[in-house]
Each structure stands twice: as C-alpha cells, then as structure tokens.
C-alpha cells in the first residue's frame, strides 16, 4: 500500500509541471483571436500609412497599383516640419486639446460627484439622461449643434434676436443677429467646437468617476469630516489621492480623443475651406484628399499625430510606474 501511494504521488508530481505549462499557455491562446483582429483592423492600416509617408503619392492610380510609387524617403516629413503653417496647426491642436481636457475633466468630475450624492433612483435617472450625449453619434450630435447655431433659423440666433435692441447693441454692438456667421470667426468657432466636444465627452468621465467613487472607503471620508474637513478638503485629501490612477487614465484618453477630433470640426466648418481653424486630423485629411491630392504628405501628418499620442501615453505609463515604485 505504501509503495502504491508513493508511486501515485510520484506520477502526480511528474504530471504537475506539464499541466502547469498547459494552463500557463492557455490565456495567450485565448488572446490570439483578439490579437488577430487588432492586427487586421489597426496594425495593418497603420503600417500602410507609415509606408505611404515615404513615397510621393499624388494619384489614385498609384494607390490602385497602376503606377509606380516614387520613393522620397523623409522628404514628406521635412516638408511638413519645415512649413510654418504646420506649427500653427500644431499650436491650435495643443491649445484646443488642453482646454477640452481641462473642461471635460472638471465638468465630468463634478457630475460624477453629484451622481454619487444622489439617491439610487435619481442617480440612475440622471446618469441615463447624461449618457444620452455619450451614446449620440458624433456626426448626429454635431449636426444638431450646427442647427442650433444656424445664422437664420437657429435657436441661438432666435434667442439673441429676442434681446432688447438697446441691451443687445450695448453689449454686442448689434441688434439684428439674423445672418450672423457664428462659425466665421476662428475664436468663436473654437468656442463652439469646444462646447460640442465637451458635451459629447463629459458623460464618460462622469460615469467613470462615479464608478471610482464607489471604491473609496466611506470610513476615510467620515474620519476626515469628523476631523473638521469640509467637502473641498475631503475631496483633495481623501478622494483625489485614492482615484489618482483613474484620473490619470481619463486624462490620457481625453487627450487622445481631443487631439484627433475630426468629425465635429469637419461638420461645423463645412469642409476644409477655413485653414485658420485647422488641427492635425483635418490637416492630414485636407493634404491627402483636397485637390490636388497628396497622399504621402497626408500620411506623414497622420504619423506625426500618432507619434505625439504615443509620447503622451508613454509619459503617463512612466508616471504610473514611478508612483508604483515610490509606494
């Protein structure tokens, strides 16, 4: 009996490493379909864009393979980086992204804190209403906002026309707002574009912050209140440090989304005619598809935008790793 037991134990001991190896490989095998889909939908198009940025492509026939692709190396990048207009576009993109990330994070955090204070039914109702903005397709929402600011029949134009003539003239220098081009002035255009983007983005921040708040120990907040801390102090001393990783991820995601805003700007501007309001996404599109097409230059701009976003992501990952090492 002892021999049988020892033999069984030896057999089990011999089979365990093999079983462990099979189990250890199982998660990677399960990930293969997802990795294959990502490679097809993301990596392959990205590789094509990178490859196109090293060629001079100015004809659809070249893309179809009917004509040869002239190799130009880094000439497209040199032309883009040496163009003063690119620096203007980059400035517009950075300032727009900074403003939108700040406003989205502030508004989303405030709404998340509000939802956390409401009762369960009211919080569910308010969250459902808020998420309608997030669920609305960017194209549909932007068309609605463009109608709101229409220069003849828009809601904003109607409201301004309802102001007393004396007050409207004293404040804005005009009393008749019919025909006023809300999208003609670059600063006003960016203000409306910011309104549209923040409206569409803040629900995701609010719901994410709300989910994070549910994980904050209520004992810590109660202890801070007992010590005499007000709501502002409780947030910065207890809530914010606990949710720092959540806020970090949300800032990175918001930065990526706001850097590559395209649909809202394209619809509000009515195309690519107004170059004073260009940002990197629409600049890449305009260079690639506006006549005469320059697909190589457009691809180079897209690659530069991708590298900027990768740098932002890498910076965040480095900060997270430093925080983990410090803790």
């Amino acid at each position: 009996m002892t021999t049988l037991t020892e033999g069984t134990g030896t057999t089990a001991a011999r089979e365990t490493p093999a079983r462990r190896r099979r189990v250890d490989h199982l998660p990677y095998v399960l990930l293969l379909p997802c990795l294959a889909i990502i490679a097809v939908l993301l990596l392959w198009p990205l590789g094509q864009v990178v490859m196109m940025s090293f060629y001079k492509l100015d004809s659809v026939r070249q893309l179809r393979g009917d004509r040869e692709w002239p190799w130009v190396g880094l000439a497209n990048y040199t032309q883009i980086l040496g163009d003063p207009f690119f620096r203007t576009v980059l400035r517009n993109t950075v300032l727009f992204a900074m403003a939108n990330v700040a406003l989205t994070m502030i508004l989303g955090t405030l709404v998340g804190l509000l939802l956390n204070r409401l009762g369960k039914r009211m919080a569910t109702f308010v969250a459902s209403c808020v998420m309608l903005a997030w669920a609305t397709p960017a194209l549909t929402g932007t068309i609605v906002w463009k109608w709101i600011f229409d220069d003849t029949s828009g809601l904003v134009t109607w409201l301004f026309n309802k102001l007393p003539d004396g007050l409207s003239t004293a404040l804005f220098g005009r009393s008749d707002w019919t025909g006023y081009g809300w999208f003609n002035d670059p600063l006003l255009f960016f203000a409306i574009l910011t309104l549209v983007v923040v409206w569409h983005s803040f629900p995701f921040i609010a719901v994410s912050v709300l989910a994070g708040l549910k994980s904050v120990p209520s004992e810590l907040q109660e202890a801070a209140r007992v010590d005499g801390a007000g709501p502002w102090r409780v947030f910065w001393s207890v809530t914010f440090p606990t949710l720092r990783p959540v806020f970090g991820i949300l800032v990175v995601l918001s930065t990526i989304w706001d850097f590559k805003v395209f649909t809202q700007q394209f619809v509000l501007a009515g195309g690519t005619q107004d170059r004073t309001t260009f940002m990197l996404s629409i600049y890449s599109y305009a260079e690639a598809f506006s006549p005469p097409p320059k697909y190589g230059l457009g691809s180079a701009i897209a690659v530069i935008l991708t590298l900027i976003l990768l740098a932002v992501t890498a910076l965040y990952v480095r900060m997270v790793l430093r925080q983990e090492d410090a803790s």
Side-chain angles (χ1 to χ4, degrees), residues 86-109:
F86 171 77
R87 292 189 285 273
T88 301
V89 173
L90 182 61
R91 180 201 63 195
N92 292 344
T93 307
V94 172
L95 294 178
F96 174 82
M98 291 174 59
N100 277 264
V101 170
L103 293 174
T104 304
M105 291 300 301
I106 292 173
L107 181 59
T109 301

Side-chain angles (χ1 to χ4, degrees), residues 225-248:
R225 294 189 185 98
V226 170
D227 291 338
W232 183 257
R233 187 66 178 175
V234 170
F235 175 79
W236 285 110
S237 299
V238 178
T239 306
F240 183 77
T242 306
L243 298 183
R244 190 186 299 272
V246 176
F247 283 117

Side-chain angles (χ1 to χ4, degrees), residues 244-263:
R244 190 186 299 272
V246 176
F247 283 117
I249 294 175
L250 293 177
V251 167
V252 172
L253 291 176
S254 297
T255 302
I256 293 174
W257 293 334
D258 293 337
F259 254 89
K260 59 187 186 69
V261 165
F262 175 83
T263 302

Side-chain angles (χ1 to χ4, degrees), residues 57 59-70:
L57 303 175
S59 171
V60 177
R61 295 179 60 186
Q62 289 178 310
L63 299 180
R64 294 174 179 172
D66 298 338
R67 292 175 54 186
E68 184 180 356
W69 291 19

Side-chain angles (χ1 to χ4, degrees), residues 22-37:
R22 285 197 296 271
V23 172
D24 290 341
H25 287 86
L26 182 60
Y28 300 99
V29 174
L30 296 176
L31 285 175
L32 285 179
C34 296
L35 295 177
I37 294 175

Side-chain angles (χ1 to χ4, degrees), residues 106-185:
I106 292 173
L107 181 59
T109 301
L110 291 176
V111 174
L113 292 171
L114 173 64
L115 292 174
N116 192 47
R117 296 291 296 272
L118 295 175
K120 185 176 181 180
R121 291 185 178 179
M122 183 57 68
T124 303
F125 173 74
V126 175
S128 301
C129 295
V130 167
M131 287 304 294
L132 287 176
W134 172 257
T136 303
L139 178 60
T140 305
T142 307
I143 291 175
V144 173
W145 280 103
K146 189 170 185 179
W147 171 81
I148 291 175
F149 285 93
D150 186 77
D151 58 357
T152 55
S153 58
L155 178 61
V156 174
T157 302
W158 178 82
L159 289 175
F160 273 80
N161 280 330
K162 290 299 180 180
L163 292 174
D165 292 345
L167 178 61
S168 180
T169 303
L171 293 178
F172 307 107
R174 62 184 300 153
S175 59
D176 184 12
W177 293 89
T178 303
Y180 181 76
W182 297 99
F183 306 108
N184 294 338
D185 180 71

